[in-house]
Amino acid sequence: MTDGKKQASLSRRAALKKGLLASGSVGASIATGSLLSSSAQAASHATQSQPEKLITEVQDWNKYLGDGVDARPYGRPSQFEGDAVRRSVAWLTADPKSSVNFTPLHKLDGIITPSGLCFERHHGGIAEISPDDHRFMINGLVDNPLVFTMQDLARFPRENRVYFLECAANSGMEWRGAQLNGCQFTHGMVHNVMYTGVRLSHLLKEAGLKSNAKWLLPEGADPSHMTRSIPMEKALDDCLIATHMNGEALRPEQGYPMRLVVPGWEGNMWVKWLRRIEVGDKPWHQREETSKYTDLLEDGLARRFTWEMEVKSVVTSPSPQAPVNHGRGQLVITGLAWSGLGKIKRVDVSIDGGRNWTTARLDEPSFSKSVHRFYLDINWDGKEMFLQSRAIDELGHVQPTKNQLRAARGLNSIYHNNGIQTWHVRNDGSVENVEIS
Ligand code: MTE
Ligand code: CO
């Protein structure tokens, strides 16, 4: 963060702190049984915003024949959904080939991220690999070093699982204070898809593990040769070698023709364009687990191997890119919650900056190490709100505040920021990223 930006966000926070104190009781009443009474108001609002002629006059799409079945051999979203795109932050990286873009969380509902909107993080651009030319090797401390073609892989039993993938750097730019205006940018380094893949344990068994085989080193076929050390227990527990996402072949951006799936653990370990797994007896301490993906603490020491992505949530609407544009009355607050340690048990939502909490409605389906969708239906009185969500996972872990995180880890961190996010919803419905303390 530049000094100018820091100043701006600090003074914004100071002003908000004052504002919160001055405004006394903030916000709205939480609707419990009162939803029906406010639905009339919502309906009349809908009538006002749609001119009568949309009902009475015949429209073009009613009159003229549309495209035929030959127009879209591979379907695409409606032309009116052009805003639902991945976006990047210009100042974040020097070159798009070693960069990141963000999932437009504010435009999505449910729990599955459409394949074309999954954020991308590449260290050496997108490798375009023909499946016919792809080879995957297991070597090192095994009885039989093996090389698999894609056809070989297809002969192993496979399964389907929904998992989130979150980059350890997600929300990293927010560590020192509110900075980026939109959940796409603050939280969009996460996606959640259904993978089809082969259990890594099947393939390791096929190769035959030696008794001192304790660690794995997966390696990517892209020019970054991404490598990370993974302990054997995790590999044998739930890791997959995925060939499909959301029912179709992996997208090139996501590692076509195969990627490693390391459920609940930081995205960096999910090696894309997977070409090799070396089996060893100790960790390798590669670049991505020494100079990167370690958390620098106040005393100059760094946390090593912080693999698990801990419990986290964010309100996706309303949010800065999804303001309230229908005025007071019935309002759906919604967001996402996830934990790398299991299922989400509960999500609480506050509209007054964390003073009072109401348990949100956790929607189905609920899968372990997957994103969950929550809703809170309120009757908004049109007063400003300081919206927050706080997730609790099935092991009882509670999402911390940002100040609790800073107290534990200091100010130098980037990675593993799972602190509670605050959105300031103004009475005109516009929304801004803020922090209150
Ligand atoms: N694998 C390879 N081969 N090359 C890469 O650059 N990036 C890693 C990981 N696997 C990377 C990789 C990082 S840091 C993350 S967060 C995830 O892939 C991102 O996965 P995605 O692009 O599917 O979102
Ligand atoms: Co990453």
Side-chain angles (χ1 to χ4, degrees), residues 118-124 165-168 191 219-222 224-226 253-254 259 267-273 288 293:
C118 288
F119 86 93
E120 305 165 63
R121 174 73 177 105
H122 318 306
H123 292 70
L165 180 164
E166 184 182 16
C167 179
H191 54 64
E219 180 189 65
D222 56 323
S224 81
H225 306 283
M226 179 68 60
E253 311 84 292
Q254 264 70 45
R259 92 173 300 167
N268 186 256
M269 306 174 89
W270 298 48
V271 172
K272 304 191 274 192
W273 312 290
E288 297 289 300
Y293 301 99

Side-chain angles (χ1 to χ4, degrees), residues 248-266:
E248 63 176 0
L250 287 171
R251 295 284 171 96
E253 311 84 292
Q254 264 70 45
Y256 180 88
M258 58 196 260
R259 92 173 300 167
L260 189 61
V261 170
V262 192
W265 286 21
E266 58 188 17

Side-chain angles (χ1 to χ4, degrees), residues 417-432:
N417 178 359
N418 63 330
I420 290 174
Q421 172 68 41
T422 312
W423 303 129
H424 177 201
V425 183
R426 298 193 195 87
N427 48 18
D428 65 359
S430 62
V431 185
E432 194 186 3

